[in-house]
Amino acid sequence: MKKTVKFAIIGCGLMGREFASASARWCHLKEDIARPEIVAVCDISADARKWFVDNFPTVKFETSDYHEILAMPEVEAVYCALPHNMHEQVYCDIIRAKKHLLGEKPFGIDKAANEAILKVIDENPDVIVRCASEFPYFPACQELIRWIESGKLGRILEVKAGFNHASDLDITKPINWKRTVKMNGVYGCLGDLGIHTQHVPFRMGWIPKRVYAVLSDIVKERPDGKGGMAVCDTYDNGTMICTCEDKDGNEFAMYLETKRMAPSATNDWYIEVTGLNASVKFSTNTPNTFHYLFSEGKNQAWSSVVIGTKPMIPTITGDIFEFGFTDAILQMWASFMCELEGKQVYFGCFTPEETRFSHALHTASLISHNEKRAVSLSEV
């Protein structure tokens, strides 16, 4: 019988349901990893809470007030998925209540909020805190990471990473909280999508030194859902050109793009790393395929291999079958549970310290865009 960790969910939306679904699939994991057991849920919507109560008999308590969740002694950990403007207060309250936390990006609406969260984390060293980021757990992306770490690529020439959507190309789409500075923050698409693009680069040690950013506020207003129009005041698309260094001190360019208005992109997360000896790339558009290239001779050609289901944490699924988004969610949660238990994992979840780097990068990007110049991260 696997050990269980009693969880509460604060924010019962899309990703809360994905976490609950992953917890129900824990039997897919072959390794002995503590299983999350969802015992309480919190959301301002009774209908949102009802889905959990109806589908998970372990849920014994529901509420619209998260303070009631934090007062429950049996709750050991929390998954929190709330709008960015609520991160500072709620995350800090969770950590002070000595509940382990997996929270959603960007870990604070701005740099000041992030610093406040990190301060509380430092004051509570026994609480395990991580930020959600699931895409690196695709086996084909894990293969890309192994190639980078092996040194096969040689000197790094360039890195490109991005996370793009196209749904906002529909200008009749009603506004939601992610399209308002009040709730999403001044980062716009950077705050909502940026950490996803940074997980692999940051873990490889590629922390930007300088950045030049171009941010685009394309759609100025959207339907308010009540027959009128509402101001849409966040950046829709963002591109950051960063200067990074490899372990030998050689500089190279890293391009990070986050776009809500990218024609043809449904949920396109990608990373491409070119090197003097070899290059690698992965995209969720071909989620089971790892692409590689050796820099031999005058002409080069990309090769590819279908990886199948060979995840970091072994599962019962046959390795010839396809790996998908829900499988990546399960791997991320298994990684978090391992870290919670003090077990070593090959590729861990996005850390609080990495959120610090992310906020520095996004803050510098805002300055860069407004002042039309490259900005050193040491300035912010």
Side-chain angles (χ1 to χ4, degrees), residues 10-12 42-45 63-67 70 78 80-96 101 103-110 113-114 116-117 177 180-185 359:
I10 300 177
C12 296
C42 174
D43 198 282
I44 59 173
S45 167
T63 180
S64 60
D65 183 354
Y66 77 88
H67 294 95
L70 301 185
V78 173
C80 189
L82 294 174
H84 305 166
N85 64 319
M86 301 177 72
H87 286 191
E88 179 181 357
Q89 184 65 58
V90 181
Y91 286 12
C92 288
D93 286 347
I94 293 169
I95 298 162
R96 289 192 184 105
L101 169 65
E104 280 295 334
K105 52 10 180 198
F107 251 64
I109 195 169
D110 56 22
N114 179 254
I117 296 168
W177 68 265
T180 66
V181 165
K182 180 181 178 181
M183 297 182 73
N184 181 83
H359 277 269

Side-chain angles (χ1 to χ4, degrees), residues 126-139:
D126 295 334
V127 179
I128 303 301
V129 181
R130 296 291 185 270
C131 180
S133 172
E134 60 274 358
F135 294 105
Y137 294 97
F138 279 81

Side-chain angles (χ1 to χ4, degrees), residues 95-272:
I95 298 162
R96 289 192 184 105
K98 305 296 184 181
K99 313 296 187 186
H100 304 299
L101 169 65
L102 183 68
E104 280 295 334
K105 52 10 180 198
F107 251 64
I109 195 169
D110 56 22
K111 189 171 182 288
N114 179 254
E115 289 172 349
I117 296 168
L118 296 179
K119 182 175 184 294
V120 174
I121 292 173
D122 288 341
E123 294 168 351
N124 295 272
D126 295 334
V127 179
I128 303 301
V129 181
R130 296 291 185 270
C131 180
S133 172
E134 60 274 358
F135 294 105
Y137 294 97
F138 279 81
C141 186
Q142 290 284 305
E143 183 70 7
L144 175 144
I145 293 166
R146 284 190 288 271
W147 274 53
I148 295 170
E149 292 186 331
S150 73
K152 287 183 182 179
L153 275 58
R155 179 172 171 173
I156 300 301
L157 302 178
E158 193 172 79
V159 175
K160 294 179 181 178
F163 191 22
N164 298 329
H165 298 293
S167 62
D168 278 12
L169 285 172
D170 177 7
I171 61 174
T172 67
K173 177 182 174 182
I175 198 167
N176 62 27
W177 68 265
K178 291 185 178 181
R179 279 65 182 166
T180 66
V181 165
K182 180 181 178 181
M183 297 182 73
N184 181 83
V186 291
Y187 296 152
C189 59
L190 302 185
D192 191 37
L193 304 174
I195 275 177
H196 287 303
T197 71
Q198 297 153 13
H199 194 169
V200 175
F202 284 6
R203 193 60 54 85
M204 298 300 101
W206 304 330
I207 308 299
K209 296 168 57 182
R210 294 182 298 279
V211 61
Y212 185 89
V214 178
L215 311 177
S216 302
D217 182 8
I218 300 164
V219 178
K220 304 294 185 181
E221 61 178 13
R222 286 189 177 274
D224 63 5
K226 303 174 184 178
M229 300 297 289
V231 174
C232 185
D233 55 2
T234 58
Y235 293 115
D236 300 292
N237 290 355
T239 300
M240 296 174 281
I241 305 173
C242 308
T243 303
C244 297
E245 279 188 1
D246 64 18
K247 58 183 177 59
D248 298 317
N250 301 307
E251 289 192 345
F252 62 88
M254 180 165 71
Y255 300 81
L256 300 175
E257 64 172 353
T258 58
K259 296 178 179 178
R260 293 175 178 149
M261 303 186 74
S264 82
T266 301
N267 195 62
D268 183 14
W269 183 95
Y270 72 88
I271 182 167
E272 178 177 337

